[in-house]
Amino acid sequence: MSMKTQSTRAGQDPVEELVGVPGSGRYDAVGETAREPLARTLRRELFDDDLVDQLVAATGEQGVSLTGPGGFLPELVKAVLERGMAAELTDHLGYAKGDRSGRGSGNSRNGFTPNTVATEVGDVTVDAPRDRNASFASTLLPNGARRLGGLEDMIISLYAGGMTVRDIRHHLASTIGTELSHETISNVTDAVTEEVKEWQARPLEAFYPVIYLDALVVKVRDGAHVTNKAAHLAVGVDLDGVKHVLGIWVQASEGAKFWAGVCAELANRGVKDVLIVCCDGLTGLPEAIEATWPSATVQTCVVHLIRASMRFVSYTDRKAVAAMLRPIYTAPSEDAALTALATFADSTLGKKYPAAVATWENAWERFTPFLAFGPALRKVICTTNSIESLNYQLRKIIKNRGHFPNDTAVIKLLWLAITTIEDKRARERARQATRGKDRQSVPRLVEGATVTGWKAALGELALIYPDRINPYL
């Protein structure tokens, strides 16, 4: 599932989102009525529940498993594929098997070729039909195919969930009896690389009032060593207050050089202006922002600043220090904030934890833009929580990966993880839509979500930056 498809869903008409897409397997919901997936309807038409019960009972009585080697479902898949390919060959030749009209046609059936394919229910050996002229090509099982499409989707889903190639190989062998090589699984996951590149290079909007930047620490192999790198995610807020993941970058160099490349990339993809960039005091970012968008403001995340100063404070004093810090970031003006900081520095706690005071003093220039805004806008830019909630989900996925072979593997997994998380939430929203009054809210994580209190914040921005916002309204 591509981020492009995901982004389209995020802006989808609410009615379309409820009724779903015909044939997609999603539930339709209009009012409190629901229609089951088309595949299930077809199954009921061909195999009623009594017949399914008989099949399950028969396999249990005779000791036949449903999946894996010797299982019933692999035999069923084999029969369906062979019957389907036989019908395809009949259409290709233009006459049925044994039909005399085929004599002298110039082509005929020419036996079978055994072909073992990996499926979601186990390996299946299929007798693929041949024609004498070798001109027949099945669409059900193309020449050279070694696995069905559903298995590839399963592999990608497992990979997006944080499993390594070795874990996936063991999982498939132990659950469905399918043995795939390390190279095969790697090729399947690498197949999305082009889609990731396309998403990473997609055109962006010309104007974003706010962009959030935050980072995840990942371990990446560098020659014979494993080093820590920062994988940065950028989330842009458009004029409607809707959040979009703009890109993922793994920091390969330090400071200004890296951020100059990121800003240049965003500009080349169409971003002409940004009002505020909210981040965690990243080295070199203010200079890169100034070179690319001279009028943009770089704002340090206040929550990050509080956490950074609290690193030096013992647990027993944290509540007291937090109480003394609050007047600084809630001050109505920069002068009032300076007075509050001086009060904290001269206090017993300030003298006990001079490093906490220094944290605020060193970040003062990046913190003070926040004080010039009104309450509604302060709520929007005081923290990068919009990304941190996503990062929390991503950390759960990457924590068991050990290290990545290269930067590309990091971006690929994070992209797959984001799409998987959003797809799960979309399916849950569709399921909840069928529950009528008992439905529960299932928000979007980032892509397509709307910033809380955005209308009031946009009003403040329009008063502060009328010349820069009005051309895009």
Side-chain angles (χ1 to χ4, degrees):
M1 183 63 61
S2 69
M3 284 292 289
K4 179 171 61 177
T5 302
Q6 172 194 323
S7 298
T8 302
R9 285 181 180 174
Q12 191 176 28
D13 184 273
V15 175
E16 292 178 359
E17 184 174 346
L18 286 180
V19 301
V21 180
S24 67
R26 295 178 63 193
Y27 287 94
D28 292 352
V30 179
E32 295 188 5
T33 62
R35 191 185 70 190
E36 65 183 8
L38 294 178
R40 188 177 303 165
T41 301
L42 181 61
R43 195 275 298 170
R44 292 184 187 278
E45 292 176 355
L46 300 178
F47 305 99
D48 59 26
D49 292 341
D50 290 338
L51 180 56
V52 174
D53 292 339
Q54 293 176 25
L55 291 174
V56 173
T59 55
E61 291 173 359
Q62 300 183 32
V64 177
S65 63
L66 287 177
T67 61
F72 176 77
L73 290 181
E75 285 298 319
L76 184 60
V77 172
K78 171 183 170 68
V80 170
L81 288 176
E82 289 180 349
R83 297 281 293 182
M85 286 189 291
E88 287 181 322
L89 181 58
T90 296
D91 290 339
H92 177 73
L93 296 176
Y95 64 91
K97 185 176 182 180
D99 191 338
R100 296 193 179 197
S101 63
R103 294 182 180 180
S105 64
N107 198 6
S108 62
R109 290 169 173 80
N110 189 31
F112 302 90
T113 299
N115 184 14
T116 301
V117 293
T119 75
E120 297 161 280
V121 294
D123 291 344
V124 176
T125 300
V126 179
D127 291 328
R130 302 190 304 255
D131 65 328
R132 193 167 296 279
N133 294 344
S135 58
F136 171 63
S138 171
T139 56
L140 281 175
L141 191 64
N143 294 334
R146 291 293 177 265
R147 55 190 177 273
L148 297 185
L151 183 63
E152 295 186 357
D153 293 338
M154 180 186 294
I155 292 172
I156 291 175
S157 177
L158 294 173
Y159 187 85
M163 294 181 69
T164 64
V165 172
R166 181 176 297 179
D167 293 336
I168 295 172
R169 183 181 182 187
H170 173 72
H171 176 78
L172 295 178
S174 61
T175 55
I176 64 176
T178 296
E179 293 281 354
L180 295 179
S181 66
H182 187 283
E183 182 181 6
T184 297
I185 297 175
S186 295
N187 290 338
V188 171
T189 59
D190 288 342
V192 303
T193 301
E194 290 303 317
E195 194 171 358
V196 176
K197 290 180 179 178
E198 180 182 349
W199 172 79
Q200 192 83 329
R202 75 195 188 283
L204 300 175
E205 295 188 20
F207 178 69
Y208 289 95
V210 180
I211 289 180
Y212 301 100
L213 287 173
D214 202 4
L216 290 166
V217 177
V218 294
K219 297 182 181 297
V220 181
R221 177 172 291 279
D222 183 10
H225 305 282
V226 174
T227 60
N228 288 336
K229 289 189 175 183
H232 295 276
L233 278 76
V235 171
V237 181
D238 63 20
L239 280 171
D240 295 322
V242 178
K243 293 179 284 189
H244 306 277
V245 181
L246 305 183
I248 304 170
W249 297 270
V250 177
Q251 189 160 357
S253 58
E254 292 295 332
K257 182 178 180 181
F258 169 75
W259 287 113
V262 172
C263 293
E265 180 181 323
L266 291 174
N268 291 335
R269 290 165 59 190
V271 181
K272 295 181 180 180
D273 193 14
V274 178
L275 297 182
I276 303 170
V277 179
C278 185
C279 62
D280 181 22
L282 301 169
T283 304
L285 179 60
E287 294 80 4
I289 290 289
E290 183 178 354
T292 310
W293 304 292
S295 300
T297 299
V298 180
Q299 171 62 52
T300 292
C301 169
V302 177
V303 173
H304 275 86
L305 191 55
I306 295 172
R307 289 175 182 169
S309 58
M310 285 295 186
R311 291 193 186 111
F312 308 101
V313 180
S314 66
Y315 181 78
T316 55
D317 291 331
R318 284 195 170 188
K319 286 186 178 181
V321 171
M324 296 203 71
L325 292 178
R326 182 174 177 79
I328 301 175
Y329 59 84
T330 59
S333 65
E334 182 177 352
D335 290 339
L338 276 171
T339 301
L341 178 60
T343 300
F344 173 51
D346 293 336
S347 68
T348 303
L349 290 173
K351 294 178 180 178
K352 183 178 180 180
Y353 302 109
V357 176
T359 300
W360 285 84
E361 292 175 342
N362 295 335
W364 195 252
E365 290 185 4
R366 300 192 303 270
F367 162 70
T368 51
F370 171 82
L371 300 173
F373 302 124
L377 189 54
R378 286 190 182 190
K379 290 181 180 179
V380 171
I381 66 171
C382 71
T383 177
T384 56
N385 277 347
S386 295
I387 297 184
E388 288 182 354
S389 58
L390 173 62
N391 284 353
Y392 173 75
Q393 300 290 335
L394 297 180
R395 286 189 184 96
K396 294 193 296 185
I397 292 173
I398 65 176
K399 67 179 181 180
N400 294 325
R401 287 301 301 263
H403 65 272
F404 294 86
N406 49 55
D407 295 351
T408 301
V410 176
I411 296 174
K412 179 176 68 175
L413 177 62
L414 293 179
W415 177 83
L416 283 170
I418 292 171
T419 58
T420 299
I421 293 169
E422 295 294 0
D423 283 346
K424 286 180 180 178
R425 293 187 174 223
R427 288 194 298 271
E428 180 61 19
R429 285 196 298 275
R431 188 180 73 84
Q432 290 292 339
T434 67
R435 301 184 62 180
K437 296 180 180 179
D438 296 330
R439 72 180 65 180
Q440 297 178 0
S441 175
V442 182
R444 293 179 174 87
L445 186 60
V446 168
E447 189 69 24
T450 302
V451 174
T452 303
W454 176 250
K455 295 295 184 181
L458 181 62
E460 291 184 9
L461 287 172
L463 293 176
I464 300 172
Y465 306 105
D467 296 337
R468 296 169 63 186
I469 288 184
N470 290 338
Y472 299 101
L473 292 176

